[in-house]
Amino acid sequence: MYLRTMAGIYIHIPFCSKRCGYCDFFSTTQLARRHDYAVAVTQELQQRSHYLDGETVSTIYFGGGTPSVLNVADVELIIGTIRSLFSVDADAEITFEANPNDLSVLYLQSLSNVGINRLSIGVQSFSDQRLMLMNRRHNAQQAIDAVRNAQQFFSNISIDLIYGLPNMTIDEWRQQLNMVTQLGVQHLSAYHLSYEQGTAFWGKLQRHELAELAEQTSLDLFDELTQWALANNFEHYEISNLALPGYRSRHNSSYWQRVKYLGVGAAAHSYNIESRGWNVSHLAKYINSVAAGKVDAEIEQLTPSDSFNDYVITALRTSQGIDLRWLEQNYAGKMLANLKKQAEKYISSGHLQQLGSQLKLTHAGVMISNVVMEDLIYV
């Protein structure tokens, strides 16, 4: 389960035409620098071509930001550079995040032609009112049309939806999920809204212009998601990710299975088992540093407790949960003892369940998963 025979590459594309109200990822509206940025990405790939120690690349992921604001020629340039520098698996999963209103039929066909084989469409909602609230730049019909047009060229399509929006009801969420069923996509990423400091939504929350949902309502919405998955043959394989059999995101799954990945671009993160690093979150500083021969980045060497905590946090988000047997084979002493002790109270409260050697969150536990994780890690 934890053999590291493959690796991934993540490409961060930070450009956005405008900023969504809930988003706290690094992004910029300096679209005039898109080609300069693509060139910088290829330069960083060249400078860091040894980071993965020759391991075969099985997944490539273009995330953002909004990768779909790139010209297809720049996408092709980046993919071509990766193939020239790394051993890329013939069956590699190559994912591209996109906004619905960028996806013309010609653009979709061109993406397919340059090697993209998995599309992740940022729908977020099929409600025009909700899309306006989130400051999205597409409407519901554009989202539906984008998915249907994409199906002409892609057989592996994921869409993103956000739930837990202010005053959201079970009926509203059920309608959203029914549209997913009607569209017939293979994967759904469903994220509960969180109010992150520094975002527009955070400011509105502080000014009482928006209100968080009650915890019970959020739990009911999550239960509805779980029931929808069961009824539609979707595997709920991670808190926020659901897929038809055979269509789990291989790239995202690698994050939860201790697989090496190289993160390229401004604000991108990398991990090679021994350390993790993150590039500077500034467009000009990133481009200039790469042009000077070395990307501006910070690196942190991982201690045994860091690795233990990384595993606990990521594994607990998945349907498999924490493998206690594996932990016992790889980590002894205080770290494991603390985890088992802290887990007892959450098992008693119904937030965790132990099935054999697997320690998993319950439905109720998902709603307080951050609290549970903080208690299980070793500080």
Side-chain angles (χ1 to χ4, degrees), residues 18-81:
K18 63 179 182 179
R19 193 166 180 82
C20 300
Y22 54 84
C23 182
D24 70 334
F25 292 139
F26 169 67
S27 64
T28 175
T29 57
Q30 300 178 57
L31 299 183
R33 303 213 68 181
R34 286 173 291 181
H35 178 67
D36 294 341
Y37 184 82
V39 171
V41 164
T42 64
Q43 292 171 333
E44 185 186 355
L45 284 164
Q46 291 164 0
Q47 293 165 14
R48 305 183 68 194
S49 60
H50 300 295
Y51 184 82
L52 299 176
D53 294 327
E55 293 192 20
T56 299
V57 173
S58 62
T59 65
I60 301 169
Y61 195 104
F62 287 81
T66 315
S68 56
V69 301
L70 287 182
N71 295 321
V72 174
D74 286 331
V75 179
E76 184 175 24
L77 173 65
I78 294 170
I79 293 176
T81 301

Side-chain angles (χ1 to χ4, degrees), residues 308 333-343 374-379:
F308 176 89
K334 296 181 179 179
M335 290 183 286
L336 187 57
N338 175 75
L339 181 143
K340 290 181 175 180
K341 179 180 178 181
Q342 295 295 332
E374 286 177 7
D375 273 358
L376 297 189
I377 62 175
Y378 187 77
V379 180

Side-chain angles (χ1 to χ4, degrees), residues 22 24 48 54 88 97 104 112 134 166 220 268 284 290 295 303 370:
Y22 54 84
D24 70 334
R48 305 183 68 194
V88 179
E97 290 185 353
S104 67
S112 177
M134 291 185 278
D220 291 343
V290 172
V295 64
T303 66
N370 288 340

Side-chain angles (χ1 to χ4, degrees), residues 53-331:
D53 294 327
E55 293 192 20
T56 299
V57 173
S58 62
T59 65
I60 301 169
Y61 195 104
F62 287 81
T66 315
S68 56
V69 301
L70 287 182
N71 295 321
V72 174
D74 286 331
V75 179
E76 184 175 24
L77 173 65
I78 294 170
I79 293 176
T81 301
I82 292 172
R83 291 191 179 279
S84 71
L85 295 169
F86 299 87
S87 173
V88 179
D89 185 54
D91 190 36
E93 174 193 89
I94 307 179
T95 302
F96 192 84
E97 290 185 353
N99 270 13
N101 59 326
D102 292 328
L103 295 179
S104 67
V105 172
L106 178 59
Y107 192 79
L108 285 162
Q109 184 178 29
S110 300
L111 288 176
S112 177
N113 288 341
V114 300
I116 303 298
N117 55 29
R118 182 175 184 271
L119 203 63
S120 178
I121 304 176
V123 171
Q124 313 311 353
S125 177
F126 292 105
S127 161
D128 286 341
Q129 182 180 2
R130 293 300 196 182
L131 291 168
M132 289 178 63
L133 172 67
M134 291 185 278
N135 201 34
R136 298 292 293 172
R137 56 182 176 93
H138 66 273
N139 59 40
Q141 189 59 52
Q142 285 175 314
I144 294 168
D145 292 344
V147 173
R148 288 177 174 158
N149 287 335
Q151 288 168 331
Q152 300 176 49
F153 307 100
F154 298 91
S155 58
N156 191 352
I157 297 173
S158 176
I159 64 174
D160 288 1
L161 289 180
I162 294 177
Y163 68 105
L165 293 160
N167 303 311
M168 193 173 209
T169 65
I170 296 293
D171 284 342
E172 180 187 349
W173 183 221
R174 187 175 293 133
Q175 290 172 14
Q176 299 289 306
L177 294 171
N178 286 342
M179 182 56 69
V180 178
T181 305
Q182 291 177 38
L183 288 172
V185 296
Q186 291 75 32
H187 189 281
L188 170 65
S189 293
Y191 301 102
H192 191 285
L193 176 66
S194 60
Y195 294 83
E196 303 295 340
Q197 191 166 358
T199 65
F201 271 22
W202 173 266
K204 290 182 178 182
L205 184 68
Q206 302 309 303
R207 297 191 297 272
H208 305 290
E209 297 171 15
L210 294 177
E212 293 185 81
L213 280 185
E215 182 179 323
Q216 185 58 51
T217 304
S218 291
L219 183 58
D220 291 343
L221 294 173
F222 185 77
D223 285 341
E224 184 67 27
L225 177 64
T226 300
Q227 294 304 312
W228 173 86
L230 289 171
N232 290 278
N233 196 33
F234 271 68
E235 300 169 341
H236 200 160
Y237 68 101
E238 193 266 349
I239 289 177
S240 302
N241 287 278
L242 310 91
L244 291 174
Y247 287 95
R248 295 185 181 191
S249 169
R250 285 160 51 191
H251 184 85
N252 288 345
S253 295
S254 71
Y255 293 152
W256 310 318
Q257 295 174 352
R258 297 167 55 84
V259 173
K260 290 181 182 179
Y261 60 89
L262 169 62
V264 181
H269 285 230
S270 300
Y271 171 76
N272 67 354
I273 313 301
E274 287 80 25
S275 68
R276 56 184 167 224
W278 51 97
N279 292 352
V280 62
S281 298
H282 189 282
L283 184 66
K285 288 181 180 179
Y286 169 75
I287 293 174
N288 292 338
S289 67
V290 172
K294 185 178 181 181
V295 64
D296 185 352
E298 294 186 47
I299 298 174
E300 178 186 14
Q301 296 299 319
L302 298 176
T303 66
S305 61
D306 290 332
S307 297
F308 176 89
N309 292 340
D310 283 348
Y311 170 77
V312 169
I313 290 170
T314 54
L316 203 57
R317 291 188 58 88
T318 68
S319 58
Q320 287 81 14
I322 294 171
D323 186 339
L324 293 173
R325 185 179 296 113
W326 185 85
L327 277 182
E328 288 168 356
Q329 293 170 352
N330 290 274
Y331 297 93

